[in-house]
Amino acid sequence: MITRAELRQIAANGVWKQNTSIVQILGLCPLLAVTTNLVNGVMLSLATIIVMALSGFAVAALRNFIPHEIRIPVFILIVAALVTVVDLLFNANLHELYNVLGIFIPLIVTNCIVLARVEAFANKNPPLQSMFDGVFMGVGMLWTLALLGGLRELIGAGTLFSGIDMVFPGLQPLQLLPADYPGLLLAILPPGAFILLGCMIAWKNWIEARAAARRQLRTDTALAAGN
Amino acid sequence: MMDFTTPPYLLKTASVQRVMLQVLAALLPGIAAYIWLIGPIVLVQLAIATLAALAAEAAMLKLRDKPLGLFLGDGSAVVTAWLIALTFPPLAPWWLLVVGVLFAIVVAKHLYGGLGQNPFNPAMIAFAVCIVSFPALMSQWPALGLKTSFGEQIDIVFGLAARVDAMTGATPLDAIKTALKLGEGAVDVPALLANQDIFGNFAGRGWEWVAAGYLIGGLWLWKRGIVSWHAPLGFIGGITLLAGALWLWNPAQFAGPLFHLFSGGAMLGAFFIVTDPVSGCTTPKGKFVFGFAAGLLAYVIRVFGGYPDGVAFAVLLVNICVPLIDMYTQPPIFGMKNEK
């Protein structure tokens, strides 16, 4: 079973400390190509979360039966089978969105985040922990892709949630900036993704540096008080 | 000429401010020709860019805890601002210039470490960002036949009047490019150059004199020793070589070197962009290679590419190669031979 402390640590690692997009900088290909708006980023992340949770569970459950020498091909087989399931599900239920995301859903199988977590975590830990690791790594990816997609969409087109009608047919995208906003096309293009991702990494490092400085100050004052 | 002195000489210290002021002065002949061609709106654009650059520079210096007076007064931000204002279409809306300047100062300059640290030319970053983001606005060059009053121009720049398509015309480079795209025999380039009213004596009508103004300013900079001859000569050589070769091969389809040197941003680029001491090469041989490569690329992009001019993209691409060029063109230490 899984203890509360373990779960907390897995969650903290996935969402913040080992965040796939802004710490490990993994899976840049879908990140750059798909986050042209918020909905695409979130939906691709959701698909990835499903794949990661299931593959983490499956690989961890089978980890004692997989020969060490051929573990990578076996992992890929398992992941590919799960991706095919997700791919067919998207195609059947969210067909329009499936057309937009295109090749990037099948490509989840080659996403280094999935293989990295399977190899680094699920291969060495029990199934339940591995499943939660997959979920929280995916959640880390979800919020970074959502933030990046939202920023790119807002700066590039002045809207938010465009394409939401493909997921929830009744909803309409928000027009946040005035309708005559010309749109900084650069933000939608790949360079914009790189620049904004760089800003997000800098923001995360800045927060960490500030926290570290505060911790240092606290230990210093504690030491001074002790003396 | 006759004031002989004997060595050793004391060198006059070249402060950043002195250099930047002379660069600004060297831009004046070109600016004067530009005002004669377009009108005083050019001064308004220069003022908008300068104000935006100084504000952005001050804000970034404050954020980075740098001394405000020292860096703000060095004039480097103003040079960037002027180059941006001179490369953007003169009737571009005011916010387009501000976006360009902000990108140049905040992203291209200060995020990379401020004055002297930027690997890319800030003014060219501004141009590239804006032409990629707003291709329509960045391609609207005023049609020369049409006379607009200063008041009308102000209204257009500040968005008080509607932007009218009829006020903009194809630039000489666009016309030549269209002729090339239409294919052999469709348009005869020599006839085009001779007949159409947008072409002047040897390049675009009016624009050729703006380019000549930059040339004069650039030669003065060279005379003053602010820029060495390597980069400009390399750049001009690169364009001349490629333009000349294609022109000799098929004069009906390609315009000659003189046209290309005095069109678009070629002259401004040769003396004020590729000579940037920060983002360019540092070795003499390297400067020449840098200029030459930028010239070749600028020609290829402007003639075969989709954008109105290629100088900005060419310079940015060669900026990436600067460390490599510098490494291979290291001059031998005095008294030593380079190892083979």
Side-chain angles (χ1 to χ4, degrees):
Chain A
M1 285 323 280
I2 186 163
T3 65
R4 194 172 279 250
E6 265 181 324
L7 191 64
R8 199 175 301 134
Q9 200 198 348
I10 289 173
N13 264 339
V15 176
W16 184 258
K17 244 190 259 169
Q18 295 288 328
N19 186 293
T20 53
S21 305
I22 57 175
V23 178
Q24 304 188 53
I25 327 280
L26 284 176
L28 281 190
C29 177
L31 179 135
L32 295 173
V34 165
T35 58
T36 49
N37 64 43
L38 199 152
V39 171
N40 287 359
V42 167
M43 291 315 285
L44 187 81
S45 303
L46 285 179
T48 314
I49 289 178
I50 298 171
V51 171
M52 287 181 74
L54 295 179
S55 63
F57 187 86
V59 167
L62 296 170
R63 70 187 190 282
N64 294 328
F65 304 100
I66 300 173
H68 187 75
E69 292 78 9
I70 55 159
R71 67 190 191 286
I72 303 285
V74 175
F75 294 163
I76 290 286
L77 271 177
I78 294 170
V79 176
L82 292 166
V83 168
T84 310
V85 172
V86 171
D87 184 64
L88 290 172
L89 278 176
F90 261 71
N91 197 352
N93 297 313
L94 297 166
H95 187 70
E96 277 176 69
L97 189 73
Y98 178 81
N99 287 339
V100 174
L101 293 179
I103 187 71
F104 288 99
I105 292 184
L107 276 184
I108 293 173
V109 72
T110 61
N111 193 329
C112 14
I113 303 167
V114 181
L115 190 62
R117 289 328 287 177
V118 166
E119 162 77 4
F121 197 93
N123 195 25
K124 296 161 192 153
N125 290 286
L128 212 53
Q129 275 88 334
S130 303
M131 191 180 81
F132 279 112
D133 179 70
V135 170
F136 283 111
M137 280 290 157
V139 171
M141 179 181 166
L142 178 95
W143 77 259
T144 39
L145 259 68
L147 184 62
L148 188 62
L151 281 174
R152 287 178 74 183
E153 187 182 350
L154 189 64
I155 300 172
T159 62
L160 219 51
F161 301 108
S162 79
I164 188 85
D165 48 314
M166 290 190 287
V167 188
F168 302 106
L171 296 179
Q172 285 301 313
L174 294 173
Q175 180 78 35
L176 284 187
L177 297 177
D180 59 347
Y181 174 69
L184 189 73
L185 194 60
L186 184 82
I188 304 273
L189 297 171
F194 275 118
I195 294 171
L196 285 172
L197 181 68
C199 292
M200 281 169 64
I201 295 170
W203 165 73
K204 201 242 174 207
N205 288 349
W206 176 70
I207 289 181
E208 298 275 291
R210 216 177 46 160
R214 254 190 226 150
R215 256 197 312 275
Q216 184 66 40
L217 195 69
R218 220 174 302 144
T219 19
D220 285 355
T221 40
L223 281 176
N227 290 340
Chain B
M1 277 293 122
M2 295 302 285
D3 48 343
F4 290 111
T5 51
T6 51
Y9 299 110
L10 273 177
L11 284 171
K12 199 190 273 175
T13 48
S15 72
V16 175
Q17 190 184 23
R18 277 190 68 85
V19 172
M20 292 299 167
L21 281 178
Q22 295 190 58
V23 172
L24 290 178
L27 282 168
L28 290 177
I31 292 174
Y34 203 6
I35 294 171
W36 162 77
L37 183 69
I38 302 291
I41 194 70
V42 175
L43 291 176
V44 176
Q45 298 283 36
L46 285 170
I48 294 171
T50 309
L51 283 178
L54 290 177
E57 180 92 355
M60 285 313 282
L61 288 171
K62 190 123 183 68
L63 273 177
R64 298 179 59 216
D65 289 328
K66 300 275 177 197
L68 213 60
L70 177 65
F71 285 105
L72 208 56
D74 68 13
S76 61
V78 180
V79 169
T80 304
W82 282 29
L83 289 174
I84 292 171
L86 294 176
T87 47
F88 278 39
L91 295 183
W94 64 273
W95 56 262
L96 190 64
L97 271 169
V98 173
V99 167
V101 167
L102 285 183
F103 242 91
I105 301 289
V106 176
V107 178
K109 187 176 178 188
H110 280 288
L111 287 192
Y112 283 99
L115 181 68
Q117 304 290 328
N118 46 302
F120 299 104
N121 189 310
M124 293 299 100
I125 288 273
F127 186 87
V129 163
C130 285
I131 201 156
V132 166
S133 299
F134 311 102
L137 286 173
M138 285 294 284
S139 313
Q140 288 177 347
W141 291 86
L144 284 180
L146 194 91
K147 284 283 168 231
T148 41
S149 73
F150 182 52
E152 287 170 315
Q153 290 179 339
I154 288 277
D155 285 351
I156 293 168
V157 167
F158 289 96
L160 304 172
R163 307 185 70 80
V164 189
D165 281 347
M167 291 179 43
T168 58
T171 64
L173 278 172
D174 286 335
I176 295 284
K177 194 186 297 187
T178 313
L180 182 68
K181 290 253 164 71
L182 288 174
E184 182 113 33
V187 184
D188 190 39
V189 168
L192 186 78
L193 283 170
N195 288 335
Q196 243 188 21
D197 54 7
I198 59 169
F199 294 99
N201 297 321
F202 43 91
R205 199 168 60 148
W207 295 108
E208 57 198 9
W209 300 117
V210 180
Y214 294 139
L215 174 64
I216 293 169
L219 290 176
W220 179 75
L221 274 187
W222 167 63
K223 184 106 193 341
R224 301 277 301 176
I226 305 286
V227 302
S228 73
W229 54 269
H230 304 84
L233 195 74
F235 189 78
I236 290 171
I239 290 188
T240 310
L241 189 79
L242 209 50
L246 286 169
W247 176 60
L248 286 177
W249 171 62
N250 191 351
Q253 287 240 284
F254 295 97
L258 201 58
F259 169 82
H260 277 291
L261 286 178
F262 284 86
S263 293
M267 273 302 160
L268 190 69
F271 288 97
F272 296 93
I273 306 289
V274 296
T275 52
D276 178 9
V278 178
S279 59
C281 282
T282 48
T283 63
K285 235 190 278 176
K287 284 179 186 168
F288 185 84
V289 174
F290 176 84
F292 189 76
L296 289 181
L297 273 175
Y299 182 86
V300 170
I301 296 172
R302 71 155 50 158
V303 173
F304 302 105
Y307 289 113
D309 199 356
V311 175
F313 292 106
V315 169
L316 292 178
L317 283 172
V318 187
N319 276 158
I320 306 173
C321 309
V322 161
L324 188 74
I325 301 173
D326 271 347
M327 194 175 84
Y328 282 111
T329 55
Q330 209 66 251
I333 301 164
F334 184 67
M336 308 280 274
K337 272 184 185 163
N338 264 0
E339 282 175 45
K340 280 278 173 245

